[in-house]
Amino acid sequence: MNGTDVQNTLREMWETRPARPRDDRQVAGVAAAIARRYDIDPTLVRVGFVVAAFSGIGAALYIAGWFLLPEEPAAPGAPSTARSPRTIMVIGLVVAAFVTLGSIFGGERNILLPTLAVAVLLFLLHRSRSHRGQSGPATAHSAEAPTTTTPGVSLNKEAPGTSSASAAPTPPAWDPLGAAPFAWDLPEPSPVAPPQEPAPRRLPVTPVTLGLALLAGGITAVIMLLAGVLSLANLPVLLGVVLAVIGAGLVIGAFVRSGRGLIPIAVLLGALTWAMVAAPLDRWQGNGFGELREAPTTVAALQPSYQRTAGEIALDLRNLDLTTQPGGNSSPVRSSITLGVGDVEVWVPRNADLSLTSTTGVGSVEFGTREESGPGAHLAVANDLGADGVASGRPLILSIESGAGSVEVHRG
């Protein structure tokens, strides 16, 4: 295959791009259009978009297909049958698009490889199945009614002055011998419709898969309980087992054209699992809600840890005495902050020797001119000597973990 073949294939892909159907759609009909173009099950295409969403490009690809693929034209004179997008699907698509854009512009996600992989897969799909399915927008049905003739009535009008005998009625097709002219005004008998075969019964993929998923989840929970590892921190493992069974059901359903009801369940469960991995529940096990403000001035008054389930933690250490007296203790001063959801703000002495480790599941982390944002934002600072640039006094080591929110650390 040379460059000319590639160009011809790409041009053919564009010229025969499918139209988004007006009936078989979940949001905008992009997956259904691709499935009809290449004669594959639309559930398989929708699963592909869900998988691509976890790589950061699924929402962007769907929106691009929404704009690039035309909508199937309605038949002239026929009532519109286009289904409006489902609200929950559109909301999920918009949220996924914003998360994707935030990750891309934040410089934390490389989308080149996933995009290239999707392009190669679509190219190979067209090369192997371009001769199948429906190519191009669907042809609108003609709304013109066929011209019919009423039995026994001539379409030619009699010219003035002509004899009525010259306009003799023509026998209908059901009476070619003209034996029953008294019944020629009756309508033509309609043809006998052939018997319709009953639609094939679809396999119950959705209920069977949900039952197996609950069974697998229950067995996993029992095993984790017996092993003594069943806790909120390990809940994503349990959800991952259930999600794996549902994913297998989606793959099987794509081949037997069933199991579409698993798609919204898989999307919601996948989003929940991702959220619990990004913001572990152990960070939500604080000791209260609301605002916590502390401003210790001595090392003895500084607590080893500060915790809140939800709210705000403000820790002012600008007046903390970190000087070392001759013969005194020079070991590092340590403290940690754990917050489920909310904002953390810390002030440290201007000249303190600081080592900082800060992580947030969803949000941003900031120290001086350095800032990290997005899912799993992490910032680490090792032995920052402060404004004087001289190692002096007892080192200060801070560890900050937040489930969702912002973390800001400032120099006094």
Side-chain angles (χ1 to χ4, degrees), residues 52 79 82 111 150 152 171 203 224 235-236 285 337-338 365 375 389:
I111 65 168
T150 304
L203 298 177
M224 296 175 65
L235 189 57
Q285 300 177 10
I337 297 175
T338 303
V365 182

Side-chain angles (χ1 to χ4, degrees), residues 166-397:
S166 61
T170 303
W174 58 268
D175 188 17
L177 300 179
F182 59 87
W184 288 359
D185 291 336
L186 298 177
E188 290 278 356
S190 58
V192 180
Q196 296 183 353
E197 297 182 0
R201 183 171 177 267
R202 292 189 175 184
L203 298 177
V205 175
T206 298
V208 172
T209 302
L210 292 179
L212 292 177
L214 292 177
L215 180 62
I219 294 175
T220 304
V222 171
I223 294 175
M224 296 175 65
L225 180 62
L226 295 177
V229 295
L230 183 61
S231 63
L232 291 177
N234 293 326
L235 189 57
V237 177
L238 182 61
L239 293 179
V241 173
V242 177
L243 188 60
V245 176
I246 293 179
L250 284 172
V251 174
I252 296 175
F255 290 98
V256 298
R257 296 182 178 272
S258 183
R260 296 185 180 182
L262 296 174
I263 295 178
I265 300 176
V267 172
L268 294 177
L269 190 60
L272 178 62
T273 305
W274 171 82
M276 296 184 67
V277 172
L281 291 179
D282 54 356
R283 298 179 185 174
W284 298 67
Q285 300 177 10
N287 55 355
F289 298 84
E291 185 180 42
L292 174 62
R293 289 186 173 272
E294 296 289 341
T297 57
T298 63
V299 174
L302 179 66
Q303 299 296 322
S305 64
Y306 297 89
Q307 296 182 352
R308 274 290 186 270
T309 302
E312 179 181 353
I313 296 179
L315 185 60
D316 188 354
L317 304 178
R318 286 175 290 188
N319 297 321
L320 182 64
D321 185 12
L322 297 174
T323 59
T324 303
Q325 302 297 330
N329 187 1
S330 60
S331 60
V333 178
R334 302 175 183 271
S335 184
S336 64
I337 297 175
T338 303
L339 177 64
V341 57
D343 299 329
V344 177
E345 194 166 10
V346 180
W347 292 268
V348 298
R350 180 178 178 83
N351 298 322
D353 303 337
L354 176 66
S355 293
L356 171 68
T357 302
S358 181
T359 304
T360 181
V362 179
S364 62
V365 182
E366 179 182 350
F367 173 67
T369 59
R370 298 179 57 182
E371 182 179 1
E372 300 290 339
S373 60
H378 177 77
L379 191 150
V381 177
N383 198 24
D384 186 290
L385 300 181
D388 58 1
V390 178
S392 59
R394 300 178 64 177
L396 178 62
I397 300 177

